Amino acid sequence: MIRQSLSPRPDWRHKVEALGLIWHDGPERPYWDESACYRFTRGQIDRIEAATAELYRLFLAAGEAVVSEPRLLARFGIPPVFHDPIREAWEAEPPALNFGRFDLGFDGRDAPRLFEFNCDTPTALLEAAVVQWAWKEECFPALDQFNSLHEALVARWSELAPDLPATLHVAHVADQAGEDAITAAYLRDTAEGAGIATVPILMDAIGWHHDDHCFVDEGDMRIEALFKLYPWEWLVHEEFAPHLLDNLERGDLVWIEPIWKMLWSNKAILPVLWDLFPGHPNLLPASFTVPAGDAVAKPLLSREGANVSIRRAGAIIAETAGEYGEEGYVYQSLYRLPEMAPGCFPVLGSWVVDGAPVGMGIREDGLITSNTARFVPHVIDG
């Protein structure tokens, strides 16, 4: 694994915007950062792909353990009234993209290690699936890339299409940066590429029809299938949570992703994994209590690296601010990321669609990967 410095294409902004990545600049450096790339050997990619498939297997076992043990599920900070809907969705296996991004630490030599699984509302999707592939085709046409993400998404939508109603609503929040809007628009493109009709909608425009007991859009059209780029842990605490519970009990709306994704996207799954598979080469020790050694403290439900702290030799050496933590913390043993350039610590985002490894994106940041991280493309060389 080598980090190679490059000269960005003079018109790179125009080119990535043409592909839909309008959110490409950052406060200090561009978010889309082609001033460097990562070069991997085929053997290293094979190890990342194998680790991704193995981690998915472990998550299946962990999910089964959680839904089977009420006391374990209680550690996740999920309102108890939603425990049964989670169990029912887990057992029923309703339609799902079943996609997500495993965030991994990797130094090119030892086994990749899991940090967490972003599988309810994963972002950095368009840049991983489309933008870095187009960059590779222009800049390194003779080389390969670990990337069949776009094709896998379209294929999965095609598999789901017979089980979906005529129209799929795709919802997101009106985020100022546009990241959620970009991701939702891209997922609409992949669904429409599979022949599914889609309708965009903002989350706060979704209404509830009291007489028909259903969610509706601005035109009072019944929402029968909804992809929502909005986390379940927020939904279950909204004012309309009782309507949500009513809707889940009726089972007349296809939620993508299903509510059982709350289990895998919650950091409480990390101690469960370690208890089930202690010493596994792709896991880091994790617990609900502060360990004796160096560790990273993570809120159960934090996003984009918020409220994370790194503790080394009893002292906090790095931390981020935020509004999370009230729901509790988990503690994961510290993995020392390689510093590939001054202040540049890469985290690999290895993607799955329907549980199968399909591609990778890399984000660089300081010791804690946050919403200021930069996306750096990669190639396979040899």
Side-chain angles (χ1 to χ4, degrees):
M1 186 172 76
I2 298 171
R3 185 183 192 275
Q4 177 184 355
S5 295
L6 301 170
S7 296
R9 295 168 294 177
D11 56 349
W12 69 265
R13 285 181 174 83
H14 171 74
K15 289 180 175 177
V16 302
E17 286 176 4
L19 295 170
L21 189 63
I22 57 173
W23 184 69
H24 53 62
D25 280 314
E28 298 179 4
R29 294 171 57 180
Y31 165 68
W32 167 263
D33 189 357
E34 59 180 66
S35 67
C37 76
Y38 281 83
R39 302 176 78 106
F40 293 83
T41 67
R42 174 61 63 180
Q44 289 170 333
I45 294 297
D46 289 344
R47 294 176 66 192
I48 295 166
E49 189 170 357
T52 302
E54 172 66 358
L55 286 167
Y56 184 78
R57 183 185 72 83
L58 302 188
F59 268 79
L60 286 173
E64 188 65 33
V66 174
V67 299
S68 301
E69 177 50 66
R71 288 176 297 178
L72 196 55
L73 181 53
R75 301 299 299 267
F76 282 62
I78 299 169
V81 293
F82 287 95
H83 290 188
D84 282 343
I86 288 172
R87 293 190 187 95
E88 291 164 4
W90 177 268
E91 297 297 335
E93 298 185 20
L97 283 177
N98 201 4
F99 78 134
R101 190 189 74 234
F102 287 106
D103 285 346
L104 309 174
F106 185 53
D107 61 6
R109 299 181 301 275
D110 297 328
R113 298 293 190 97
L114 173 72
F115 294 147
E116 58 193 60
F117 190 20
N118 295 277
C119 63
D120 184 16
T121 58
T123 53
L125 179 59
L126 174 66
E127 45 271 52
V130 175
V131 181
Q132 70 167 341
W133 180 261
W135 165 88
K136 182 210 78 72
E137 290 290 88
E138 180 177 346
C139 299
F140 294 97
L143 300 183
D144 200 0
Q145 190 176 85
F146 178 27
N147 193 356
S148 59
L149 184 47
H150 179 81
E151 293 80 4
L153 286 167
V154 175
R156 181 57 181 162
W157 281 121
S158 296
E159 293 171 355
L160 295 177
D163 296 320
L164 296 180
T167 302
L168 171 73
H169 285 76
V170 178
H172 66 91
V173 295
D175 58 322
Q176 185 174 1
E179 183 180 14
D180 284 7
I182 290 169
T183 305
Y186 173 61
L187 283 163
R188 284 186 62 211
D189 286 344
T190 59
E192 290 175 355
I196 298 171
T198 70
V199 174
I201 188 171
L202 293 176
M203 286 297 303
D204 60 8
I206 296 175
W208 177 256
H209 196 291
H210 290 274
D211 293 335
D212 292 340
H213 291 266
C214 66
F215 290 109
V216 294
D217 63 17
E218 302 107 314
D220 279 339
M221 176 182 178
R222 185 188 189 110
I223 299 175
E224 297 179 299
L226 178 69
F227 178 93
K228 45 99 198 143
L229 198 69
Y230 192 80
W232 275 107
E233 63 259 27
W234 294 357
L235 282 173
V236 299
H237 289 287
E238 299 278 2
E239 287 184 14
F240 59 76
H243 302 316
L244 175 61
L245 192 62
D246 183 359
N247 174 263
L248 290 168
E249 289 173 350
R250 288 173 175 270
D252 54 3
L253 192 161
V254 179
W255 291 89
I256 302 177
E257 298 284 70
I259 193 171
W260 65 257
K261 277 293 189 83
M262 289 185 77
L263 303 179
W264 286 1
S265 63
N266 191 305
K267 308 299 189 302
I269 200 71
L270 299 174
V272 175
L273 285 162
W274 187 251
D275 288 344
L276 289 173
F277 306 101
H280 193 285
N282 298 127
L283 298 177
L284 292 166
S287 67
F288 290 104
T289 57
V290 181
D294 299 344
V296 179
K298 300 179 177 182
L300 298 185
L301 303 176
S302 69
R303 294 182 171 272
E304 296 184 324
N307 298 101
V308 171
S309 62
I310 298 178
R311 306 172 181 215
R312 186 179 295 168
I316 295 178
I317 64 167
E319 62 182 336
T320 53
E323 300 177 352
Y324 301 96
E326 183 178 348
E327 66 281 355
Y329 282 79
V330 299
Y331 302 87
Q332 191 177 52
S333 289
L334 179 63
Y335 178 90
R336 298 180 186 272
L337 285 167
E339 189 171 12
M340 304 299 291
C344 296
F345 299 88
V347 170
L348 311 187
S350 188
W351 287 87
V352 293
V353 174
D354 198 24
V358 292
M360 180 175 70
I362 301 170
R363 291 173 300 149
E364 284 186 342
D365 207 339
L367 292 175
I368 299 174
T369 305
S370 68
N371 61 357
T372 62
R374 302 167 300 279
F375 189 100
V376 181
H378 77 277
V379 293
I380 303 173
D381 186 6

